[in-house]
Amino acid sequence: MASLLQQTASTDRENAQEKISYPAVTPEMKLVQEALFRHVGKPIPRKEDGRLITGKGRFSDDFSLPGQTYAAMVRSPYPHARILGIDTSEALESAGVLAVLTGQDILDDGIAPIPHSPVPSTKFDMKLTAPDGGKPFVGPHYLLPNDKARHVGEAVAMVIAETAAQAVDAAEKVAVDYEELPHVTSTAAAAEPGAPAVWDEVPDNVFIETKFGDWEATDAAFAKADHVIRADFHIDRVTAVTIEPRSSLGHFDAETGRYTLYAGSGGAVRQKNELSKVLGIEPKDLRVLSFDVGGNFGARNRAYVEFGLVLWGSRKVGRPVKFTATRSEAFLTDYQGRDLVTKVELALTKDGKFLAMRADNLSNVGMRCVSLSPLSKGSGLITGSYDIPHAALRARAVFTNTMCTQAYRSSGRPEVTYAIERLVEIAARELGFDPLELRRKNLIQPSAMPYTNAVGSIYDSGEYEKNMDRALEISDWNGFEARRAEAKRRGKLLGRGFANYVESSIGSPKERAEIEIKDDGTVEVVIGTQPSGQGHETSFAQVVADMIQVPVEKVWIVLGDTDIVSVGGGSHSGRSMRHAGTVMAIASADLLAEGRRRAAELFETTVDSIDFEGGYFKVSSTNKAIDIFALGRQTRATAGPLRVGRDNEMHTPVFPNGAAVCEVEVDPETGHVQISAYSTIDDVGRCINPLIVHGQTHGGIAQGVGQAMWELCAIDPTTGQPLAGSLMDYGMPRFDNLPSFNCEIAEVISPTNPLGIKAGGEGGTTPALVTVTNAVIDALKDYGVTQIPMPLTPFTVWQAIQQAGTPGQAIVAAE
């Protein structure tokens, strides 16, 4: 493996990709790498599942403290309204009520806004700026607002009472005097002249506007093109619908002056650092406990106002305070995902070679900017898997009177993948090319890696055409016509959709691992990247077990408690295995180096004469040996625990990639769509545990298919009221509306990290939206349907069939 890294790094230097630096391979690291594949790459069942399926999980709502009280939120019924006053008197007189707190109390106590820091900060992120090129105004996120409510459901007051029922009852008695204001919820409408301003500081609502690519060269390429294809798309808004509604329990200890928060999240360390700033305290005075998390997908990566409110509320009432959201509250106020309006153009030669691309992307961040990751990540990948020499992108973000959006599984990449893959499909149809051959003609070749795309993203490695061929093979592409004929005999329309994809994984750059050999014969690994169902307790253990050559069952992962975990970027952007694996590899090398030093001292020899094999330190050419656990025990008294800690910072991105094929049956009478088959090939780099990666792929497909078929955070445009407030209003993928997936893993090693990992958690989602859409449009092609909006509900599909051929329905033009 070391030689592979060195060879690839040499190739990179020959290709003058000086922007990427690859890790040096130390002697200790080489030793570690050579030990791989005893556990790494094996489908080891998840260690954590026994605990989870027997009810022994430690989820946020499972925790209670003596004397705890309960919080309920008073939420705005308006999308935009000035808060003229709040009368708390009747609520305060209600049974069991201890306090009613408002935005004025927040200001009086000096409670600061949540410092979300939404602009991505790693070296290779696309740099987004305000329209004037400066730092953007993102809208201060106070725990409770004192000026305005800016979306339906925003918390404007908190009631604390002895019981949850008393808190809810009293919340209904809080009288808020609102002045209703004009609102805007539509992404496109918010950017139009004269739209109501969400923030006075940004009168036109557009607070990000940045251009990428070579505009002059792109314009020149379009001028000489034989064909130009244009399309407009809106990839609408969805929400995570985590199985565990968000919950938080806060406790302030007056004797110690310390706060404790129990709250499931994507990263306890980040929550600690942000919430300590909100409270105006030192980070050491806040302990965050985040153990088992019942679903995240990005929705839990940023702090929620309730996390700060229960901590502050506990200080105010002198007792622990607990809040658990109802499902309807979650639908209204969980951070949401997607919501991109994009206008795209593709320039081609007469024989189908792509010359250039233009894109105008408008991202809806909601009432405040929590994260610009979706816009940034998508901006770097507008050209997808294709060798498009020139591109010009205008990237904008806009405020609206809606709940904040945030990075949601494969943040920003499904949106731009939808745009480029639909555009290629439209080009093939309009210009008479075979869609697969048009793609194949323009794919980036392995010899071009590392490949710098037209907006500056550097793809690390990949075999795109090979993925495409394998996806077609495992889906039995050539047998489709026979299946179509059989479906037709049953009165159904069979369609198939294909998409290539490439996505990026960067994520928070800092990570730390601490590894200790315990006296009881186990290995304890402290790591700051915590799971929300991804199987980290197993896959992380596999890496360390191979590194130090011990059985995997002896390795235990410790996470989620900031009194133990001091550094950690959390689980997002497909960073977990790559960042944690890298720092664990480095720490393991350090541990073995320290073990060799101790063994040399124990055996009274030199470090150079100590070998390490099979978990034993051995003196070369002798029978003297000691296993790593005995060494730890024997040297503890003189040298302390056999323990190391290592920090690492890694900015270099990786680019997982693959291809997907979907087949659907459409009932032309009802518009009902049934997915009959779904196949995918995903290049995840080094695969640590294929069983876990396949599970991640299955979940990722389900989330992408869910958005394509059923999911939508619908909002009434006239009133601004959300229309999906329960599972009766919001469609979800289920076991009975999805087929068994046919998934394979490709392993094209990444040269950017010691283990060669890319990412495996988001590839299933990235192409799914467009693959399903392409399949449905293919099924309806004889009706003349060329475009159809998501979600592809029976009514939407039936309506498209009824309106097929009506002028003005398809927003597609060709020159």
Side-chain angles (χ1 to χ4, degrees):
M1 183 174 183
S3 61
L4 174 62
L5 283 171
Q6 292 162 341
Q7 177 183 351
T8 312
S10 173
T11 302
D12 296 341
R13 285 188 287 273
E14 289 170 7
N15 287 340
Q17 299 293 351
E18 69 281 355
K19 287 179 69 178
I20 290 186
S21 60
Y22 296 111
V25 182
T26 64
E28 290 81 12
M29 185 64 73
K30 183 176 181 181
L31 180 66
V32 165
Q33 292 168 344
E34 289 171 351
L36 288 175
F37 313 125
R38 200 161 147 249
H39 299 102
V40 166
K42 303 297 191 298
I44 294 174
R46 295 177 12 144
K47 299 172 67 172
E48 51 268 68
D49 284 353
R51 180 183 80 249
L52 296 175
I53 65 176
T54 55
K56 297 175 183 176
R58 296 178 295 170
F59 297 93
S60 301
D61 193 50
D62 292 331
F63 291 94
S64 294
L65 294 173
Q68 77 182 20
T69 62
Y70 296 84
M73 303 300 147
V74 179
R75 299 190 180 278
S76 170
Y78 300 109
H80 198 196
R82 198 178 313 279
I83 301 170
L84 301 178
I86 301 179
D87 184 353
T88 64
S89 56
E90 185 179 357
L92 284 168
E93 294 172 359
S94 300
V97 172
L98 303 174
V100 182
L101 301 171
T102 68
Q104 187 59 54
D105 298 313
I106 291 284
L107 297 179
D108 292 345
D109 280 14
I111 302 299
I114 302 172
H116 289 297
S117 302
V119 180
S121 59
T122 64
K123 295 177 182 177
F124 292 94
D125 279 303
M126 306 296 282
K127 304 306 178 186
L128 299 169
T129 64
D132 64 2
K135 184 177 179 180
F137 172 85
V138 298
H141 199 175
Y142 283 99
L143 302 184
L144 297 170
N146 188 51
D147 57 345
K148 294 179 181 178
R150 290 180 169 84
H151 79 98
V152 173
E154 182 172 12
V156 297
M158 173 175 68
V159 175
I160 302 173
E162 295 284 357
T163 70
Q166 288 173 333
V168 170
D169 287 344
E172 294 181 356
K173 298 176 182 178
V174 175
V176 183
D177 185 8
Y178 293 105
E179 177 191 349
E180 193 171 357
L181 300 172
H183 67 270
V184 61
T185 58
S186 163
T187 307
E192 292 295 325
V198 179
W199 292 91
D200 294 340
E201 293 85 346
V202 186
D204 64 355
N205 293 317
V206 178
F207 69 101
I208 292 287
E209 182 164 358
T210 312
K211 291 185 176 181
F212 300 102
D214 188 332
W215 284 64
E216 185 176 341
T218 301
D219 289 345
F222 269 85
K224 70 176 184 180
D226 296 304
H227 305 289
V228 173
I229 300 295
R230 301 184 180 92
D232 299 354
F233 305 109
H234 182 196
I235 295 82
D236 222 316
R237 184 178 289 228
V238 292
T239 189
V241 199
T242 56
I243 195 169
E244 174 199 17
R246 72 178 188 273
S247 181
S248 52
L249 171 60
H251 178 225
F252 174 69
D253 188 327
E255 290 187 12
T256 64
R258 291 196 83 205
Y259 294 82
T260 301
L261 175 70
Y262 299 81
S265 72
V269 174
R270 177 174 190 150
Q271 307 283 16
K272 170 181 176 172
N273 292 334
E274 291 183 349
L275 291 170
S276 63
K277 291 182 174 64
V278 171
L279 296 169
I281 60 175
E282 293 296 320
K284 65 180 178 60
D285 292 328
L286 173 60
R287 180 187 188 188
V288 177
L289 301 165
S290 182
F291 297 117
D292 294 315
V293 179
N296 178 8
F297 321 119
R300 299 184 195 270
N301 285 344
R302 303 296 175 106
Y304 283 93
V305 295
E306 292 89 356
F307 294 1
L309 286 172
V310 296
L311 292 168
W312 174 57
S314 177
R315 191 183 76 196
K316 299 289 281 186
V317 301
R319 291 165 61 182
V321 178
K322 186 174 188 177
F323 168 80
T324 300
T326 65
R327 180 60 68 186
S328 288
E329 281 183 298
F331 271 111
L332 285 175
T333 60
D334 277 357
Y335 293 131
Q336 298 175 351
R338 314 293 183 224
D339 208 336
L340 181 80
V341 170
T342 180
K343 302 174 185 291
V344 285
E345 297 177 278
L346 183 64
L348 305 88
T349 64
K350 60 184 177 182
D351 62 351
K353 187 64 179 172
F354 299 163
L355 295 175
M357 181 182 180
R358 293 192 188 109
D360 188 329
N361 288 357
L362 181 65
S363 175
N364 184 346
V365 304
M367 57 143 181
R368 290 179 176 85
C369 185
V370 168
S371 174
L372 285 165
S373 170
L375 183 61
S376 174
K377 295 287 179 66
S379 293
L381 294 169
I382 59 167
T383 56
S385 309
Y386 305 105
D387 181 16
I388 303 178
H390 305 291
L393 167 66
R394 180 192 189 197
R396 293 179 294 159
V398 66
F399 290 118
T400 61
N401 294 114
T402 61
M403 182 54 197
C404 311
T405 55
Q406 157 52 345
Y408 177 65
R409 198 167 193 169
S410 191
S411 172
R413 283 89 88 188
E415 297 95 306
V416 296
T417 300
Y418 184 97
I420 186 64
E421 288 294 321
R422 282 294 303 130
L423 195 57
V424 171
E425 200 78 13
I426 291 166
R429 180 188 292 249
E430 292 291 318
L431 304 176
F433 294 109
D434 177 89
L436 293 184
E437 293 312 309
L438 185 60
R439 288 178 169 92
R440 196 183 302 277
K441 178 189 288 285
N442 290 284
L443 281 174
I444 300 164
Q445 297 302 309
S447 59
M449 296 293 179
Y451 172 85
T452 302
N453 75 7
V455 290
S457 294
I458 305 173
Y459 300 178
D460 58 323
S461 64
E463 298 176 346
Y464 299 169
E465 188 171 8
K466 189 174 180 180
N467 289 340
M468 182 173 172
D469 290 341
R470 185 59 183 155
L472 296 174
E473 182 179 352
I474 64 176
S475 68
D476 187 23
W477 187 270
N478 292 335
F480 174 77
E481 291 304 332
R483 294 191 295 277
R484 190 201 291 270
E486 189 276 332
K488 186 176 182 180
R489 287 193 292 271
R490 292 185 286 107
K492 301 295 175 64
L493 308 172
L494 194 67
R496 61 181 176 182
F498 175 89
N500 289 309
Y501 79 90
V502 59
E503 55 133 341
S504 64
S505 173
I506 304 178
S508 180
K510 295 181 180 179
E511 197 60 63
R512 176 177 175 84
E514 299 171 8
I515 306 176
E516 181 176 342
I517 304 300
K518 308 293 285 187
D519 288 348
D520 63 359
T522 62
V523 182
E524 182 179 271
V525 181
V526 177
I527 190 76
T529 293
Q530 63 197 62
S532 50
Q534 297 95 325
H536 291 171
E537 292 173 51
T538 304
S539 54
F540 288 3
Q542 287 177 256
V543 172
V544 175
D546 268 8
M547 298 294 186
I548 60 177
Q549 301 177 37
V550 300
V552 70
E553 58 268 18
K554 290 184 177 291
V555 180
W556 292 96
I557 308 299
V558 177
L559 36 76
D561 181 347
T562 61
D563 275 6
I564 299 173
V565 179
S566 59
V567 176
S571 181
H572 64 273
S573 304
R575 72 177 292 280
S576 301
M577 194 68 246
R578 182 167 48 95
H579 281 265
T582 295
V583 75
M584 289 188 298
I586 296 170
S588 297
D590 291 348
L591 185 77
L592 296 185
E594 172 62 14
R596 284 160 61 92
R597 187 193 66 76
R598 293 191 185 195
E601 186 174 298
L602 185 69
F603 292 126
E604 299 180 337
T605 185
T606 64
V607 171
D608 291 343
S609 67
I610 298 295
D611 298 325
F612 182 74
E613 182 180 352
Y616 282 80
F617 293 95
K618 303 176 180 180
V619 181
S620 300
S621 304
T622 74
N623 62 356
K624 294 180 180 180
I626 186 170
D627 77 45
I628 194 169
F629 298 106
L631 179 67
R633 288 191 296 269
Q634 290 192 30
T635 60
R636 178 179 286 271
T638 56
L642 181 48
R643 181 180 184 278
V644 297
R646 187 65 180 262
D647 293 284
N648 187 52
E649 186 166 335
M650 189 163 63
H651 289 259
T652 309
V654 292
F655 292 82
N657 55 87
V661 178
C662 176
E663 285 190 18
V664 299
E665 278 192 2
V666 177
D667 185 333
E669 296 296 321
T670 66
H672 179 263
V673 178
Q674 180 68 45
I675 297 178
S676 54
Y678 198 102
S679 304
T680 183
I681 180 83
D682 298 284
D683 173 10
V684 303
R686 176 81 63 208
C687 181
I688 303 301
N689 186 320
L691 183 68
I692 288 175
V693 171
H694 279 309
Q696 291 257 34
T697 301
H698 294 174
I701 293 170
Q703 281 189 273
V705 169
Q707 177 162 9
M709 297 279 288
W710 307 286
E711 298 185 52
L712 177 65
C713 291
I715 296 177
D716 184 284
T718 303
T719 64
Q721 293 294 321
L723 302 178
S726 74
L727 288 168
M728 294 181 67
D729 316 310
Y730 190 93
M732 291 284 289
R734 305 187 307 266
F735 77 94
D736 62 342
N737 57 24
L738 294 173
S740 292
F741 302 128
N742 186 13
C743 301
E744 288 192 3
I745 296 168
E747 293 184 274
V748 180
I749 303 304
S750 174
T752 65
N753 61 88
L755 299 183
I757 295 167
K758 289 177 182 171
E762 300 179 319
T765 306
T766 306
L769 279 64
V770 68
T771 308
V772 174
T773 301
N774 281 343
V776 172
I777 291 175
D778 181 62
L780 303 180
K781 66 181 181 181
D782 289 344
Y783 288 83
V785 174
T786 60
Q787 186 63 288
I788 188 167
M790 295 181 292
L792 304 167
T793 62
F795 178 72
T796 299
V797 174
W798 178 86
Q799 194 174 43
I801 292 171
Q802 302 308 308
Q803 295 177 345
T806 304
Q809 291 303 307
I811 31 179
V812 175
E815 291 180 4

